[in-house]
Amino acid sequence: MASCSQTAQALVTAYNTWTLENIMDVRASNCINYILPHSLSQRPMNNEEYIAFFAPSMPLFRNFRLTIHDIVVDESDRKVVMHLTSSASTDIGKYYNEYMLKLHMTEDCRKVDKSDEFVDSGYSAKYMAKLLENQSRARKTRL
């Protein structure tokens, strides 16, 4: 039986490979992802919806890295809370963000079956607006 801590670490490793296949491999088939706070107006996403949401943004980020700063594990309740930061390169410069993840694991702790992902919403909204604006300008230039 895997430990919840090992599965949480595996999820971070999967994001650091920056391949959708590896990321989804750590999620249970019925996993639900919540992007919080609710003020972001993101509805819960099953795996199919998460792929549709996440995949288009992946090519915008290079050398994506998550770093764990703190981790709290409750093996008996099969929950893990992590404070993380990310860094990456984009066409408009360096990207940094901060997250709190609360992961709920399957009974055997081998997969994540629910993820509550709190993001630095202020930073994310501003950065993504600039990044998408740059991408749009670049497309128009190529035409």
Side-chain angles (χ1 to χ4, degrees):
M1 183 160 134
S3 74
C4 293
S5 179
Q6 289 170 325
T7 301
Q9 294 279 349
L11 182 66
V12 170
T13 299
Y15 274 97
N16 286 341
T17 68
W18 207 235
T19 65
L20 207 45
E21 181 180 351
N22 288 345
I23 294 167
M24 299 312 292
D25 190 49
V26 185
R27 296 165 59 104
S29 60
N30 63 339
C31 184
I32 301 294
N33 195 89
Y34 296 83
I35 297 178
L36 303 163
H38 292 294
S39 62
L40 294 175
S41 300
Q42 293 286 336
R43 56 186 209 74
M45 293 175 273
N46 63 26
N47 284 337
E48 189 175 286
E49 293 163 330
Y50 184 75
I51 290 169
F53 167 80
F54 195 66
S57 65
M58 290 183 80
L60 303 176
F61 298 89
R62 298 175 297 281
N63 303 313
F64 184 89
R65 280 287 167 252
L66 277 178
T67 302
I68 299 172
H69 295 281
D70 195 14
I71 184 168
V72 178
V73 180
D74 183 338
E75 293 286 344
S76 62
D77 275 346
R78 302 183 325 271
K79 294 179 185 175
V80 176
V81 176
M82 294 187 289
H83 172 226
L84 308 110
T85 54
S86 66
S87 63
S89 297
T90 73
D91 289 347
I92 63 169
K94 290 289 185 186
Y95 170 82
Y96 301 99
N97 209 334
E98 187 172 17
Y99 314 86
M100 290 296 290
L101 288 183
K102 182 173 68 169
L103 305 174
H104 302 251
M105 306 298 180
T106 56
E107 278 197 40
D108 63 4
C109 283
R110 291 187 184 277
K111 303 276 184 174
V112 175
D113 67 8
K114 179 183 173 195
S115 174
D116 296 320
E117 177 182 342
F118 291 83
V119 301
D120 182 342
S121 54
Y123 177 83
S124 294
K126 290 176 192 171
Y127 195 92
M128 288 305 292
K130 288 179 189 176
L131 186 57
L132 295 174
E133 179 184 323
N134 182 72
Q135 185 183 30
S136 177
R137 248 192 331 263
R139 256 191 248 134
K140 288 177 185 175
T141 303
R142 285 184 293 227
L143 295 176

